[in-house]
Amino acid sequence: MLSTILKLVYRHSHAAKWRHNERLWPHARIERDAMGAIERFTWRGRHVPLARRAELQRLRRLPCHIIASGPSVAEIDYEALPMHHVMGVNGAIALSAHAPVKFDYYCILDAGFVRQRPDLARRIVARDLVLFVTPVVLARLLDMFPVSALGCRFYLVDDIYKRGFEAARTTRMLRDDAQISASASFLGDDSEIGFSFDIDNGFFHGGTVAYFALQVATWLGFTEMYMHGLDLRDASHTPRFYETMQTRAPTRLDAEFANLIEPSFRHASQVLRLRGVRVENLSPASALGEDIFGKVDWRSLRRRNLSLVMPDEALPVAAVGSVAVDAMPTLRPTGTHGHA
């Protein structure tokens, strides 16, 4: 009841361009660094430690596996697929109940997912991983779980159009911002669709958390990525790999596919190719065409001898330009799924 009253008060005291902050007011406080990145977050008077950019960004010489929630995930034998860098989104954590998958990174954009699946959310925050969330999602998590339940580290990011405790921005405002234009690529002259190479300046929603995860992985320094469960087909009538027909949560994937999701991924594929970043799709039935991301069978990854070795150290992203193309890292063998 109190939260509803506070929202009504906020709506009556703030213009529409501030509306996206109503779930944060009056309990949150956000502090930013000189470049605008969130460096401090306080919720209900409690300071929440955040992971730092310098700790995370590296030139990653091994691929990142981004695991979404499409039903095709159930067709992959994760016992037989070595992975060293794994990023999950939303309910992908359910995979770890029956497969030896260690998540290093995680992305949640929708506070509704946290509310609808607190069982999965609890398992995510309990893990030793870096969780990329918006201030609204973090506030929801902090209200639901005690400090003792938190084993993850948080990294806070903003929707590029609706940053926390700032007025919503238009596409023209973003395009006129030198900092944004230097780190983001827009689709055409008037489209709101884009891809961010620096999530500290904000991310483009793209209609699905998997699109957000792709931007995060690129920012982290990965130049090779594999998308798992990126089915995006008949989502309204097809349960996610961890759901049944009776327990499936509502989705807008079908409604937003043609005008937002597909154009966003198509744009991403083009700008990433230009930067030498390779993305492949492990979902054979994905609604995204082969011309966006090439489709490969997960079994072929074993034959390619990828993910079987890893460098002693990752290089800072700033050093990318100084690394010769032919340079080979010092390699050492590893065990399956990143366990020595």
Side-chain angles (χ1 to χ4, degrees), residues 193 206-208 230-236 251-266 281 285-293 295:
I193 290 173
T208 170
L230 194 64
D231 298 7
L232 303 173
R233 185 181 297 280
D234 195 24
S236 297
T251 177
R252 290 190 53 78
L253 291 180
D254 293 339
E256 297 183 340
F257 181 80
N259 295 325
L260 177 58
I261 297 174
E262 198 273 355
S264 292
F265 278 109
R266 184 173 296 278
N281 190 350
S286 175
L288 297 180
E290 286 265 11
D291 57 331
I292 296 180
F293 299 136
K295 296 181 181 180

Side-chain angles (χ1 to χ4, degrees), residues 95-304:
L95 184 62
S96 61
H98 52 82
V101 177
K102 178 185 180 298
F103 290 95
D104 306 288
Y105 312 101
Y106 222 92
C107 298
I108 302 177
L109 279 187
D110 184 8
F113 164 76
V114 178
R115 182 182 64 254
Q116 295 163 3
R117 294 303 304 258
D119 56 325
L120 297 180
R122 179 181 291 274
R123 290 160 62 181
I124 294 167
V125 300
R127 298 299 178 94
D128 178 15
L129 51 79
V130 180
L131 177 54
F132 294 84
V133 290
T134 62
V136 170
V137 172
L138 179 52
R140 172 74 68 173
L141 290 169
L142 294 174
D143 275 348
M144 291 188 68
F145 305 117
V147 174
S148 59
L150 305 179
C152 68
R153 292 185 294 156
F154 297 104
Y155 198 94
L156 277 183
V157 290
D158 295 292
D159 184 307
I160 200 165
Y161 287 99
K162 300 176 180 179
R163 286 158 55 105
F165 287 133
E166 295 181 5
R169 297 182 288 181
T170 64
T171 304
R172 178 48 52 196
M173 293 170 65
L174 293 180
R175 291 172 184 264
D176 290 342
D177 186 313
Q179 186 171 319
I180 297 296
S181 61
S183 63
S185 173
F186 287 87
L187 174 63
D189 296 329
D190 303 312
S191 175
E192 295 183 356
I193 290 173
F195 189 92
S196 175
F197 292 97
D198 189 346
I199 60 171
D200 282 338
N201 291 331
F203 63 88
F204 291 86
H205 193 283
T208 170
V209 66
Y211 192 71
F212 168 51
L214 189 61
Q215 293 167 85
V216 172
T218 303
W219 175 85
L220 282 169
F222 291 104
T223 58
E224 192 172 350
M225 302 171 220
Y226 297 102
M227 308 294 296
H228 302 228
L230 194 64
D231 298 7
L232 303 173
R233 185 181 297 280
D234 195 24
S236 297
H237 303 94
T238 306
R240 299 163 180 85
F241 78 86
Y242 58 89
E243 295 177 327
T244 65
M245 288 296 290
Q246 291 72 36
T247 63
R248 72 185 189 279
T251 177
R252 290 190 53 78
L253 291 180
D254 293 339
E256 297 183 340
F257 181 80
N259 295 325
L260 177 58
I261 297 174
E262 198 273 355
S264 292
F265 278 109
R266 184 173 296 278
H267 177 63
S269 71
Q270 294 168 353
V271 298
L272 289 174
R273 279 194 202 103
L274 290 175
R275 291 201 171 207
V277 177
R278 186 174 78 181
V279 182
E280 292 184 309
N281 190 350
L282 301 187
S283 172
S286 175
L288 297 180
E290 286 265 11
D291 57 331
I292 296 180
F293 299 136
K295 296 181 181 180
V296 299
D297 190 299
W298 68 268
R299 298 170 187 84
S300 69
L301 303 189
R302 301 173 66 194
R303 294 193 295 270
R304 292 184 191 184

